Amino acid sequence: MARNNDTWILTAQCPSQLGTVDVVTGFLKQQRCYITEQHSFDDKLAKQFFIRTEFQPQDSDFNILDFQEVFTARAAEFGMTFNLSEKGYRMPVVIMVSKTDHCLNDLLYRYRAGKLSIEIKAVVSNHPDLEPLVRWHDLPYYHFPITKETKAQQEAQVLQVIEETGAELVILARYMQVLSSEMAHTLSGRAINIHHSLLPGFKGAKPYHQAYQKGVKLVGATAHYINDDLDEGPIITQKVEVVSHANYPDDLVDLGRDIERQTLAHAISCHVERRIFLYGQKTIVFSR
């Protein structure tokens, strides 16, 4: 086993061609690195190859900068782009919320229990309601009210917090405001949203009550990256549960909140563990 306990994550993609797996695995063998986990996928339609590898250096004098320099030359032969990160890195995040607390509560618990590799830098809200909860966790809370007239100013305040805290990921944990196109573009690829997935779709107030009236048979949630289209960004993960006529509106609300919590946490985990490749309008997700 490795004498160096550090585990590194290598993610890479390139055009489909012969030797794409070997360029990674062969190089790791040459560098005396032991592979502990590996996933790969070749998209036959897009003709693109994706790979994620966790590895442990076997030599105590392993130098990640030297490794990166040599692999850069090897990867260039395949037109391969790649990223290296240390496993267990706690990604700095900012959470955005409104009044609903179930997703925030869940994330705060997972954070406190060390179940997510994140470092919560701040919580931002357009309402003051959840400040006591956040302050109890000894975290900064920013209340930025928003109206139609002050939307641009409010988003500028939010972006300032994101920049000043060095947040690499923004989590919309039931933030009930539509982001502007400018904001969505700025946060592209680094902001995750969660919302219910009911078939058929129900917009507006009390969607679960509307679903009950229509006798829905599936309740679910979708976590996705944001983009200019409302709730139509690249999907990271979805979960569903079967329901029946015996489930009343309050039952659907409770079940929906449970699914939203689980789905959002899973999506965040995949992102911070570098398990997601954004490609066009879709994602490649190498879940554990």
Side-chain angles (χ1 to χ4, degrees), residues 125-146:
S125 180
N126 57 320
H127 294 283
D129 302 54
L130 301 180
E131 183 169 3
L133 170 64
V134 175
R135 294 294 185 187
W136 186 86
H137 286 81
D138 198 27
L139 293 169
Y141 187 89
Y142 295 89
H143 172 216
F144 298 141
I146 185 172

Side-chain angles (χ1 to χ4, degrees), residues 234-251:
I235 294 170
I236 301 171
T237 186
Q238 295 176 300
K239 296 183 184 295
V240 296
E241 292 284 348
V242 175
V243 295
S244 74
H245 59 274
N247 294 109
Y248 292 101
D250 287 346
D251 300 325

Side-chain angles (χ1 to χ4, degrees), residues 97-109:
V97 295
S98 288
K99 291 184 177 182
T100 306
D101 66 356
H102 61 282
C103 285
L104 175 63
N105 252 317
D106 183 70
L107 293 178
L108 290 173
Y109 167 75

Side-chain angles (χ1 to χ4, degrees), residues 247-265:
N247 294 109
Y248 292 101
D250 287 346
D251 300 325
L252 300 183
V253 170
D254 289 342
L255 184 58
R257 287 177 174 173
D258 283 341
I259 300 172
E260 287 174 9
R261 285 191 288 257
Q262 296 170 35
T263 306
L264 179 59

Side-chain angles (χ1 to χ4, degrees), residues 131-265:
E131 183 169 3
L133 170 64
V134 175
R135 294 294 185 187
W136 186 86
H137 286 81
D138 198 27
L139 293 169
Y141 187 89
Y142 295 89
H143 172 216
F144 298 141
I146 185 172
T147 64
K148 183 178 180 180
E149 292 71 27
T150 64
K151 186 179 184 71
Q153 177 186 350
Q154 191 260 10
E155 290 191 340
Q157 291 176 304
V158 174
L159 288 173
Q160 184 177 359
V161 171
I162 294 170
E163 181 178 353
E164 290 179 352
T165 58
E168 297 174 19
L169 176 66
V170 177
I171 303 167
L172 280 64
R174 299 299 288 161
Y175 180 66
M176 306 306 291
Q177 291 289 322
V178 178
L179 301 184
S180 68
S181 294
E182 294 77 14
M183 182 82 155
H185 177 74
T186 300
L187 298 178
S188 178
R190 59 189 183 106
I192 295 176
N193 190 24
I194 183 71
H195 62 83
H196 67 76
S197 300
L198 296 169
L199 296 175
F202 299 97
K203 298 181 179 180
K206 295 188 174 182
Y208 290 103
H209 291 73
Q210 297 178 54
Y212 171 76
Q213 295 295 332
K214 292 290 187 179
V216 299
K217 299 298 183 282
L218 286 175
V219 171
T222 295
H224 62 90
Y225 290 110
I226 64 167
N227 65 5
D228 286 348
D229 297 318
L230 179 62
D231 293 341
E232 293 185 17
I235 294 170
I236 301 171
T237 186
Q238 295 176 300
K239 296 183 184 295
V240 296
E241 292 284 348
V242 175
V243 295
S244 74
H245 59 274
N247 294 109
Y248 292 101
D250 287 346
D251 300 325
L252 300 183
V253 170
D254 289 342
L255 184 58
R257 287 177 174 173
D258 283 341
I259 300 172
E260 287 174 9
R261 285 191 288 257
Q262 296 170 35
T263 306
L264 179 59

